[in-house]
PDB file of all heavy atoms in Angstrom:
ATOM      1  N   ILE A 105      20.047-119.328  37.609  1.00 42.00           N
ATOM      2  CA  ILE A 105      20.500-120.590  38.358  1.00 42.00           C
ATOM      3  C   ILE A 105      20.842-121.556  37.346  1.00 42.00           C
ATOM      4  O   ILE A 105      20.002-122.022  36.618  1.00 42.00           O
ATOM      5  CB  ILE A 105      19.612-121.110  39.386  1.00 42.00           C
ATOM      6  CG1 ILE A 105      19.253-119.865  40.285  1.00 42.00           C
ATOM      7  CG2 ILE A 105      20.049-122.328  40.045  1.00 42.00           C
ATOM      8  CD1 ILE A 105      18.243-120.395  41.398  1.00 42.00           C
ATOM      9  N   ALA A 106      22.111-121.987  37.151  1.00 46.00           N
ATOM     10  CA  ALA A 106      22.547-122.880  36.193  1.00 46.00           C
ATOM     11  C   ALA A 106      21.962-124.296  36.631  1.00 46.00           C
ATOM     12  O   ALA A 106      22.184-124.783  37.784  1.00 46.00           O
ATOM     13  CB  ALA A 106      23.937-122.878  36.039  1.00 46.00           C
ATOM     14  N   PRO A 107      21.199-124.869  35.755  1.00 48.00           N
ATOM     15  CA  PRO A 107      20.781-126.183  36.142  1.00 48.00           C
ATOM     16  C   PRO A 107      21.872-127.289  36.172  1.00 48.00           C
ATOM     17  O   PRO A 107      22.704-127.264  35.407  1.00 48.00           O
ATOM     18  CB  PRO A 107      19.748-126.480  35.024  1.00 48.00           C
ATOM     19  CG  PRO A 107      20.192-125.703  33.925  1.00 48.00           C
ATOM     20  CD  PRO A 107      20.810-124.487  34.461  1.00 48.00           C
ATOM     21  N   PRO A 108      21.688-128.232  37.039  1.00 48.00           N
ATOM     22  CA  PRO A 108      22.792-129.315  37.096  1.00 48.00           C
ATOM     23  C   PRO A 108      22.656-130.296  35.979  1.00 48.00           C
ATOM     24  O   PRO A 108      21.681-130.262  35.370  1.00 48.00           O
ATOM     25  CB  PRO A 108      22.348-130.007  38.563  1.00 48.00           C
ATOM     26  CG  PRO A 108      20.937-129.751  38.736  1.00 48.00           C
ATOM     27  CD  PRO A 108      20.642-128.490  38.090  1.00 48.00           C
ATOM     28  N   PRO A 109      23.646-131.044  35.780  1.00 48.00           N
ATOM     29  CA  PRO A 109      23.545-131.984  34.600  1.00 48.00           C
ATOM     30  C   PRO A 109      22.607-132.975  34.828  1.00 48.00           C
ATOM     31  O   PRO A 109      22.245-133.371  35.975  1.00 48.00           O
ATOM     32  CB  PRO A 109      24.962-132.589  34.693  1.00 48.00           C
ATOM     33  CG  PRO A 109      25.862-131.696  35.517  1.00 48.00           C
ATOM     34  CD  PRO A 109      25.077-130.928  36.516  1.00 48.00           C
ATOM     35  N   PRO A 110      21.763-133.206  33.806  1.00 47.00           N
ATOM     36  CA  PRO A 110      20.669-134.115  34.064  1.00 47.00           C
ATOM     37  C   PRO A 110      21.085-135.567  34.282  1.00 47.00           C
ATOM     38  O   PRO A 110      22.039-136.019  33.707  1.00 47.00           O
ATOM     39  CB  PRO A 110      19.899-133.969  32.661  1.00 47.00           C
ATOM     40  CG  PRO A 110      20.968-133.638  31.570  1.00 47.00           C
ATOM     41  CD  PRO A 110      22.015-132.745  32.310  1.00 47.00           C
ATOM     42  N   PRO A 111      20.461-136.170  35.202  1.00 45.00           N
ATOM     43  CA  PRO A 111      20.747-137.644  35.568  1.00 45.00           C
ATOM     44  C   PRO A 111      20.271-138.505  34.482  1.00 45.00           C
ATOM     45  O   PRO A 111      19.540-138.073  33.563  1.00 45.00           O
ATOM     46  CB  PRO A 111      20.032-137.872  36.968  1.00 45.00           C
ATOM     47  CG  PRO A 111      18.924-136.878  36.836  1.00 45.00           C
ATOM     48  CD  PRO A 111      19.367-135.660  36.215  1.00 45.00           C
ATOM     49  N   GLU A 112      20.643-139.664  34.535  1.00 43.00           N
ATOM     50  CA  GLU A 112      20.331-140.658  33.563  1.00 43.00           C
ATOM     51  C   GLU A 112      18.797-140.837  33.575  1.00 43.00           C
ATOM     52  O   GLU A 112      18.178-141.059  34.740  1.00 43.00           O
ATOM     53  CB  GLU A 112      21.036-141.972  33.803  1.00 43.00           C
ATOM     54  CG  GLU A 112      20.647-143.078  32.678  1.00 43.00           C
ATOM     55  CD  GLU A 112      21.407-144.272  33.095  1.00 43.00           C
ATOM     56  OE1 GLU A 112      22.167-144.308  33.929  1.00 43.00           O
ATOM     57  OE2 GLU A 112      21.089-145.365  32.358  1.00 43.00           O
ATOM     58  N   GLN A 113      18.085-140.762  32.507  1.00 41.00           N
ATOM     59  CA  GLN A 113      16.625-140.621  32.403  1.00 41.00           C
ATOM     60  C   GLN A 113      16.130-142.127  32.170  1.00 41.00           C
ATOM     61  O   GLN A 113      16.854-142.985  31.543  1.00 41.00           O
ATOM     62  CB  GLN A 113      16.058-139.798  31.333  1.00 41.00           C
ATOM     63  CG  GLN A 113      16.528-138.282  31.459  1.00 41.00           C
ATOM     64  CD  GLN A 113      15.859-137.589  30.424  1.00 41.00           C
ATOM     65  OE1 GLN A 113      15.071-137.982  29.558  1.00 41.00           O
ATOM     66  NE2 GLN A 113      16.083-136.228  30.413  1.00 41.00           N
ATOM     67  N   LYS A 114      15.052-142.417  32.872  1.00 39.00           N
ATOM     68  CA  LYS A 114      14.365-143.686  32.496  1.00 39.00           C
ATOM     69  C   LYS A 114      13.529-143.672  31.162  1.00 39.00           C
ATOM     70  O   LYS A 114      13.224-142.552  30.765  1.00 39.00           O
ATOM     71  CB  LYS A 114      13.308-144.103  33.587  1.00 39.00           C
ATOM     72  CG  LYS A 114      14.102-144.216  34.929  1.00 39.00           C
ATOM     73  CD  LYS A 114      13.056-144.547  36.053  1.00 39.00           C
ATOM     74  CE  LYS A 114      13.673-144.547  37.472  1.00 39.00           C
ATOM     75  NZ  LYS A 114      12.692-144.960  38.463  1.00 39.00           N
ATOM     76  N   PRO A 115      13.636-144.791  30.475  1.00 40.00           N
ATOM     77  CA  PRO A 115      12.891-144.804  29.242  1.00 40.00           C
ATOM     78  C   PRO A 115      11.420-144.324  29.361  1.00 40.00           C
ATOM     79  O   PRO A 115      10.820-144.942  30.425  1.00 40.00           O
ATOM     80  CB  PRO A 115      13.156-146.184  28.621  1.00 40.00           C
ATOM     81  CG  PRO A 115      13.464-146.904  29.921  1.00 40.00           C
ATOM     82  CD  PRO A 115      14.178-146.068  30.827  1.00 40.00           C
ATOM     83  N   LYS A 116      10.801-143.574  28.473  1.00 42.00           N
ATOM     84  CA  LYS A 116       9.398-143.283  28.501  1.00 42.00           C
ATOM     85  C   LYS A 116       8.521-144.394  27.948  1.00 42.00           C
ATOM     86  O   LYS A 116       8.988-144.942  27.059  1.00 42.00           O
ATOM     87  CB  LYS A 116       9.150-141.968  27.758  1.00 42.00           C
ATOM     88  CG  LYS A 116       9.853-140.756  28.402  1.00 42.00           C
ATOM     89  CD  LYS A 116       9.365-139.600  27.663  1.00 42.00           C
ATOM     90  CE  LYS A 116      10.027-138.311  28.259  1.00 42.00           C
ATOM     91  NZ  LYS A 116       9.701-137.181  27.465  1.00 42.00           N
ATOM     92  N   PRO A 117       7.396-144.622  28.500  1.00 38.00           N
ATOM     93  CA  PRO A 117       6.480-145.506  27.836  1.00 38.00           C
ATOM     94  C   PRO A 117       6.028-144.880  26.545  1.00 38.00           C
ATOM     95  O   PRO A 117       6.061-143.646  26.416  1.00 38.00           O
ATOM     96  CB  PRO A 117       5.310-145.641  28.849  1.00 38.00           C
ATOM     97  CG  PRO A 117       5.346-144.486  29.641  1.00 38.00           C
ATOM     98  CD  PRO A 117       6.872-144.088  29.735  1.00 38.00           C
ATOM     99  N   PRO A 118       5.661-145.714  25.533  1.00 35.00           N
ATOM    100  CA  PRO A 118       5.207-145.101  24.298  1.00 35.00           C
ATOM    101  C   PRO A 118       3.952-144.267  24.482  1.00 35.00           C
ATOM    102  O   PRO A 118       2.975-144.616  25.160  1.00 35.00           O
ATOM    103  CB  PRO A 118       4.866-146.381  23.482  1.00 35.00           C
ATOM    104  CG  PRO A 118       5.612-147.514  24.161  1.00 35.00           C
ATOM    105  CD  PRO A 118       5.557-147.140  25.540  1.00 35.00           C
ATOM    106  N   GLY A 119       4.021-143.087  23.789  1.00 36.00           N
ATOM    107  CA  GLY A 119       2.803-142.173  23.778  1.00 36.00           C
ATOM    108  C   GLY A 119       2.790-141.179  24.879  1.00 36.00           C
ATOM    109  O   GLY A 119       1.863-140.476  25.020  1.00 36.00           O
ATOM    110  N   GLY A 120       3.708-141.008  25.738  1.00 45.00           N
ATOM    111  CA  GLY A 120       3.666-140.093  26.825  1.00 45.00           C
ATOM    112  C   GLY A 120       4.611-140.318  27.916  1.00 45.00           C
ATOM    113  O   GLY A 120       5.567-140.925  27.732  1.00 45.00           O
ATOM    114  N   ARG A 121       4.433-139.575  29.084  1.00 52.00           N
ATOM    115  CA  ARG A 121       5.382-139.644  30.171  1.00 52.00           C
ATOM    116  C   ARG A 121       4.831-140.516  31.353  1.00 52.00           C
ATOM    117  O   ARG A 121       3.602-140.593  31.470  1.00 52.00           O
ATOM    118  CB  ARG A 121       5.669-138.320  30.765  1.00 52.00           C
ATOM    119  CG  ARG A 121       6.321-137.293  29.779  1.00 52.00           C
ATOM    120  CD  ARG A 121       6.417-135.934  30.511  1.00 52.00           C
ATOM    121  NE  ARG A 121       5.244-135.438  30.878  1.00 52.00           N
ATOM    122  CZ  ARG A 121       4.992-134.341  31.663  1.00 52.00           C
ATOM    123  NH1 ARG A 121       6.047-133.719  32.105  1.00 52.00           N
ATOM    124  NH2 ARG A 121       3.764-134.109  32.051  1.00 52.00           N
ATOM    125  N   SER A 122       5.675-141.037  32.130  1.00 62.00           N
ATOM    126  CA  SER A 122       5.238-141.907  33.296  1.00 62.00           C
ATOM    127  C   SER A 122       5.097-140.870  34.338  1.00 62.00           C
ATOM    128  O   SER A 122       5.931-140.030  34.741  1.00 62.00           O
ATOM    129  CB  SER A 122       6.330-142.904  33.691  1.00 62.00           C
ATOM    130  OG  SER A 122       7.594-142.270  33.919  1.00 62.00           O
ATOM    131  N   GLN A 123       3.807-140.775  35.020  1.00 70.00           N
ATOM    132  CA  GLN A 123       3.539-139.939  36.189  1.00 70.00           C
ATOM    133  C   GLN A 123       3.048-140.771  37.319  1.00 70.00           C
ATOM    134  O   GLN A 123       2.288-141.754  37.186  1.00 70.00           O
ATOM    135  CB  GLN A 123       2.385-138.987  35.639  1.00 70.00           C
ATOM    136  CG  GLN A 123       2.956-137.962  34.670  1.00 70.00           C
ATOM    137  CD  GLN A 123       1.729-136.960  34.322  1.00 70.00           C
ATOM    138  OE1 GLN A 123       0.549-137.409  34.379  1.00 70.00           O
ATOM    139  NE2 GLN A 123       2.130-135.852  33.950  1.00 70.00           N
ATOM    140  N   SER A 124       3.433-140.268  38.525  1.00 78.00           N
ATOM    141  CA  SER A 124       2.974-140.857  39.685  1.00 78.00           C
ATOM    142  C   SER A 124       1.512-140.258  40.097  1.00 78.00           C
ATOM    143  O   SER A 124       1.207-139.294  39.548  1.00 78.00           O
ATOM    144  CB  SER A 124       3.968-140.651  40.740  1.00 78.00           C
ATOM    145  OG  SER A 124       3.973-139.163  41.110  1.00 78.00           O
ATOM    146  N   PRO A 125       0.849-140.816  41.008  1.00 81.00           N
ATOM    147  CA  PRO A 125      -0.362-140.440  41.474  1.00 81.00           C
ATOM    148  C   PRO A 125      -0.376-138.917  41.939  1.00 81.00           C
ATOM    149  O   PRO A 125      -1.173-138.071  41.811  1.00 81.00           O
ATOM    150  CB  PRO A 125      -0.913-141.425  42.398  1.00 81.00           C
ATOM    151  CG  PRO A 125      -0.316-142.682  42.003  1.00 81.00           C
ATOM    152  CD  PRO A 125       1.133-142.275  41.499  1.00 81.00           C
ATOM    153  N   GLU A 126       0.701-138.742  42.731  1.00 80.00           N
ATOM    154  CA  GLU A 126       0.919-137.268  43.386  1.00 80.00           C
ATOM    155  C   GLU A 126       1.075-136.322  42.198  1.00 80.00           C
ATOM    156  O   GLU A 126       0.576-135.229  42.302  1.00 80.00           O
ATOM    157  CB  GLU A 126       2.089-137.333  44.228  1.00 80.00           C
ATOM    158  CG  GLU A 126       1.912-138.062  45.542  1.00 80.00           C
ATOM    159  CD  GLU A 126       1.995-139.583  45.359  1.00 80.00           C
ATOM    160  OE1 GLU A 126       2.376-140.004  44.196  1.00 80.00           O
ATOM    161  OE2 GLU A 126       1.787-140.324  46.267  1.00 80.00           O
ATOM    162  N   GLU A 127       1.996-136.744  41.186  1.00 84.00           N
ATOM    163  CA  GLU A 127       2.191-135.715  40.118  1.00 84.00           C
ATOM    164  C   GLU A 127       0.893-135.406  39.252  1.00 84.00           C
ATOM    165  O   GLU A 127       0.592-134.408  38.739  1.00 84.00           O
ATOM    166  CB  GLU A 127       3.168-136.200  39.201  1.00 84.00           C
ATOM    167  CG  GLU A 127       3.646-135.264  38.201  1.00 84.00           C
ATOM    168  CD  GLU A 127       4.898-135.643  37.322  1.00 84.00           C
ATOM    169  OE1 GLU A 127       5.540-136.667  37.682  1.00 84.00           O
ATOM    170  OE2 GLU A 127       5.416-134.803  36.521  1.00 84.00           O
ATOM    171  N   GLN A 128       0.055-136.480  39.216  1.00 85.00           N
ATOM    172  CA  GLN A 128      -1.266-136.379  38.491  1.00 85.00           C
ATOM    173  C   GLN A 128      -2.219-135.487  39.163  1.00 85.00           C
ATOM    174  O   GLN A 128      -2.867-134.659  38.663  1.00 85.00           O
ATOM    175  CB  GLN A 128      -1.942-137.742  38.261  1.00 85.00           C
ATOM    176  CG  GLN A 128      -1.188-138.666  37.341  1.00 85.00           C
ATOM    177  CD  GLN A 128      -1.795-139.973  37.180  1.00 85.00           C
ATOM    178  OE1 GLN A 128      -2.863-140.327  37.803  1.00 85.00           O
ATOM    179  NE2 GLN A 128      -1.210-140.883  36.331  1.00 85.00           N
ATOM    180  N   SER A 129      -2.080-135.502  40.562  1.00 87.00           N
ATOM    181  CA  SER A 129      -2.923-134.633  41.335  1.00 87.00           C
ATOM    182  C   SER A 129      -2.394-133.207  41.116  1.00 87.00           C
ATOM    183  O   SER A 129      -3.329-132.213  41.089  1.00 87.00           O
ATOM    184  CB  SER A 129      -2.735-135.050  42.912  1.00 87.00           C
ATOM    185  OG  SER A 129      -3.319-136.389  43.016  1.00 87.00           O
ATOM    186  N   LEU A 130      -1.126-132.929  41.209  1.00 87.00           N
ATOM    187  CA  LEU A 130      -0.575-131.568  40.843  1.00 87.00           C
ATOM    188  C   LEU A 130      -1.082-131.084  39.518  1.00 87.00           C
ATOM    189  O   LEU A 130      -1.412-129.943  39.428  1.00 87.00           O
ATOM    190  CB  LEU A 130       0.896-131.595  41.056  1.00 87.00           C
ATOM    191  CG  LEU A 130       1.542-131.821  42.440  1.00 87.00           C
ATOM    192  CD1 LEU A 130       2.921-131.924  42.378  1.00 87.00           C
ATOM    193  CD2 LEU A 130       1.089-130.715  43.458  1.00 87.00           C
ATOM    194  N   GLU A 131      -0.984-132.019  38.444  1.00 88.00           N
ATOM    195  CA  GLU A 131      -1.543-131.582  37.167  1.00 88.00           C
ATOM    196  C   GLU A 131      -2.911-131.223  37.225  1.00 88.00           C
ATOM    197  O   GLU A 131      -3.421-130.209  36.535  1.00 88.00           O
ATOM    198  CB  GLU A 131      -1.159-132.660  36.191  1.00 88.00           C
ATOM    199  CG  GLU A 131      -1.515-132.348  34.705  1.00 88.00           C
ATOM    200  CD  GLU A 131      -1.221-133.508  33.868  1.00 88.00           C
ATOM    201  OE1 GLU A 131      -0.468-134.434  34.134  1.00 88.00           O
ATOM    202  OE2 GLU A 131      -1.733-133.365  32.674  1.00 88.00           O
ATOM    203  N   GLN A 132      -3.879-131.879  38.008  1.00 88.00           N
ATOM    204  CA  GLN A 132      -5.145-131.606  38.009  1.00 88.00           C
ATOM    205  C   GLN A 132      -5.471-130.232  38.649  1.00 88.00           C
ATOM    206  O   GLN A 132      -6.302-129.470  38.284  1.00 88.00           O
ATOM    207  CB  GLN A 132      -5.890-132.665  38.770  1.00 88.00           C
ATOM    208  CG  GLN A 132      -5.985-134.057  38.049  1.00 88.00           C
ATOM    209  CD  GLN A 132      -6.675-135.151  38.951  1.00 88.00           C
ATOM    210  OE1 GLN A 132      -7.076-134.800  40.156  1.00 88.00           O
ATOM    211  NE2 GLN A 132      -6.748-136.374  38.413  1.00 88.00           N
ATOM    212  N   ILE A 133      -4.687-129.900  39.731  1.00 89.00           N
ATOM    213  CA  ILE A 133      -4.746-128.585  40.352  1.00 89.00           C
ATOM    214  C   ILE A 133      -4.324-127.466  39.215  1.00 89.00           C
ATOM    215  O   ILE A 133      -5.027-126.463  39.167  1.00 89.00           O
ATOM    216  CB  ILE A 133      -3.893-128.540  41.651  1.00 89.00           C
ATOM    217  CG1 ILE A 133      -4.238-129.454  42.609  1.00 89.00           C
ATOM    218  CG2 ILE A 133      -3.806-127.163  42.006  1.00 89.00           C
ATOM    219  CD1 ILE A 133      -3.303-129.626  43.837  1.00 89.00           C
ATOM    220  N   THR A 134      -3.297-127.640  38.489  1.00 88.00           N
ATOM    221  CA  THR A 134      -2.936-126.640  37.510  1.00 88.00           C
ATOM    222  C   THR A 134      -3.959-126.596  36.452  1.00 88.00           C
ATOM    223  O   THR A 134      -4.392-125.444  36.063  1.00 88.00           O
ATOM    224  CB  THR A 134      -1.537-127.110  36.904  1.00 88.00           C
ATOM    225  OG1 THR A 134      -0.637-127.318  37.907  1.00 88.00           O
ATOM    226  CG2 THR A 134      -1.078-126.120  35.818  1.00 88.00           C
ATOM    227  N   ALA A 135      -4.516-127.766  35.863  1.00 89.00           N
ATOM    228  CA  ALA A 135      -5.477-127.728  34.858  1.00 89.00           C
ATOM    229  C   ALA A 135      -6.803-126.942  35.387  1.00 89.00           C
ATOM    230  O   ALA A 135      -7.309-126.346  34.561  1.00 89.00           O
ATOM    231  CB  ALA A 135      -5.870-128.999  34.331  1.00 89.00           C
TER     232      ALA A 135
END
Side-chain angles (χ1 to χ4, degrees):
I105 300 178
E112 183 178 355
Q113 297 184 4
K114 297 180 180 181
K116 294 181 181 179
R121 298 178 301 168
S122 60
Q123 289 184 330
S124 63
E126 290 79 6
E127 189 171 0
Q128 292 178 359
S129 299
L130 294 177
E131 183 178 345
Q132 291 175 0
I133 295 172
T134 305

